Amino acid sequence: SDTPLCLNAKIDGALYPFQRKGVEFLVRNRRAYCADDMGLGKSIQALAVMDHFKTKWPFLVICPSILSATWRANIIRWLDLNEDDVCVISTVRSGSVNFVSNKNAYIITYNLMSINHVCSRLLNEKFEMMIFDEAHYIKTGRSKRTKSALKLGAKCDVVLLLSGTPFSYPLGMFSQMKLLYPDLYPKLFNYNEQDRHSFAGRYCQPKMKLLSNDTIWDMRGYDRKLELHAVLSTFMLRRTKVETLGELPKKTRRIRELPRTRELDGSKGLDFMEQFRATATVKIKTITADLITILHECSLADHGVVVFAHHKKMLDHIESVVTDQKFPYFRIDGKTSKQNRTKYENTFQRGSGFGVFLLSITAACTGITLTRANRVVFTEIMFSPDSVLQAEDRVHRIGQTKPVDIYYVIQPGSVDETNWSMIQKKYHNVSLIIENKHKQLSTTRETPPHAT
């Protein structure tokens, strides 16, 4: 029989029933992946596992830089620790790390962990437990990040990987699986024999592709999806908001097309990223009227709205529009400090009335909760479903009490249409692999004011 959970009163009383089952699964497997949908509390489940195995402390959390302060606060809160019990590892001027011994918990960023002498220092500490948050950061087997993670994970008894968006292609799972179970698929691909026994040979549909007068292997395919699902389900936990939070308000995605323009006709021969930049340049001219309409529609409901963009010039343009309309707002991009990031989030959440939160997709699609808002506007369409779905659920998560509307503003005839199609395809394939379900991103198309 399973060993009963041994948890402190605070975290024990805070767990939802589905989270308790998740903790039991993770404790039972010890080396496991929590891939629950965004906003279902993967962090508290992982910390409950750490609490259950308290005799193995200290433990190490590896996370993106923007999440280190959040992890520190959660560790102190849920494990009932003092601030002095937690060490956030950083570098000092000499290049050495400020590793303070005899702490209960340690936090380090992926970038810092990847430095050779830092990784060696962590290996010397012989941690028995580690949490890799946003584990999809571990992708390419050749990267320093992945190599360091594999070294650290091999020394541990308990290894937990957390991500609501584990991969876009099966190829992205190989290194993560190797971190948990090194011998499950020892080799990514046998380039000489092109065999069907390696990981890529079975699940990635490897094909030769001509690129810049050279041939390379393209492994961005999907194969044997149900077989891969069966393999993953032995150590991966995946629950969705629909399954676990039936009372969570409905989320509706709305597609709004901007006026057509011929300005992008000459961009078809550009490479993908150049087309993406060209689309942003054109949308700055075409999006203003529709954005103002959406913002005023949202302001009538007296709730906040979150606006996402990617390019700096688009963020700057939206900021000017919001300023002209005299709406109160906050902005978070790659230059925002951790302190201001937390300050803006808390101030927005505590506020009342209408307000705008302007966010960079890449800088703020994770690690922030904005449930005071119930509208989300994507002024640019990223090609990664990971970023898009993570960004959506800054608003649609535990704590949301109102129906949520997600607006995708698309420029016809642009890379927006390519990206949206790519997102739909990846979402369907990944859902089949990790949930064994045929799913599509359901959307409602609206007739914009300029078309009436």
Side-chain angles (χ1 to χ4, degrees), residues 252-417:
T252 304
R253 297 182 182 90
R254 305 180 184 278
I255 301 293
R256 293 174 69 120
E257 289 191 354
L258 296 171
R260 290 187 172 272
T261 176
R262 303 196 63 176
E263 285 192 58
L264 289 167
D265 290 352
S267 67
K268 302 302 181 183
L270 302 176
D271 67 32
F272 182 82
M273 294 309 296
E274 288 175 330
Q275 288 187 52
F276 194 26
R277 287 190 289 271
T279 297
T281 300
V282 170
K283 287 180 81 171
I284 285 173
K285 304 174 184 177
T286 58
I287 199 173
T288 304
D290 207 39
L291 180 60
I292 291 173
T293 299
I294 293 173
L295 290 174
H296 280 281
E297 288 173 354
C298 296
S299 68
L300 291 175
D302 200 32
H303 300 309
V305 61
V306 175
V307 183
F308 281 101
H310 175 67
H311 292 94
K312 181 181 181 300
K313 58 186 177 183
M314 180 64 81
L315 288 163
D316 292 343
H317 175 69
I318 298 167
E319 184 171 15
S320 69
V321 171
V322 172
T323 301
D324 289 344
Q325 297 300 309
K326 295 181 170 55
F327 289 130
Y329 73 94
F330 294 104
R331 170 173 171 168
I332 292 178
D333 55 31
K335 294 183 178 180
T336 308
S337 68
K338 294 178 184 178
Q339 291 78 11
N340 281 339
R341 180 187 175 98
T342 302
K343 174 185 173 183
Y344 297 161
E345 175 186 0
N346 292 338
T347 304
F348 182 83
Q349 285 288 82
R350 290 194 303 263
S352 61
F354 182 69
V356 180
F357 217 128
L358 175 57
L359 299 176
S360 159
I361 298 176
T362 51
C365 67
T366 60
I368 188 170
T369 295
L370 300 172
T371 48
R372 182 191 140 205
N374 70 326
R375 302 287 191 275
V376 181
V377 181
F378 286 89
T379 59
E380 296 185 83
I381 313 299
M382 293 289 287
F383 45 84
S384 167
D386 305 354
S387 300
V388 168
L389 297 178
Q390 292 267 19
E392 282 187 356
D393 289 336
R394 300 309 92 209
V395 171
H396 193 250
R397 60 198 297 111
I398 291 175
Q400 181 57 264
T401 60
K402 305 175 289 292
V404 174
D405 288 309
I406 314 289
Y407 296 89
Y408 285 94
V409 185
I410 289 180
Q411 181 69 58
S414 76
V415 75
D416 279 354
E417 294 178 330

Side-chain angles (χ1 to χ4, degrees), residues 56-76:
K56 296 180 180 292
W57 285 11
F59 63 89
L60 177 67
V61 176
I62 301 96
C63 64
S65 175
I66 58 174
L67 299 182
S68 57
T70 302
W71 269 103
R72 183 174 183 272
N74 284 334
I75 289 171
I76 292 169

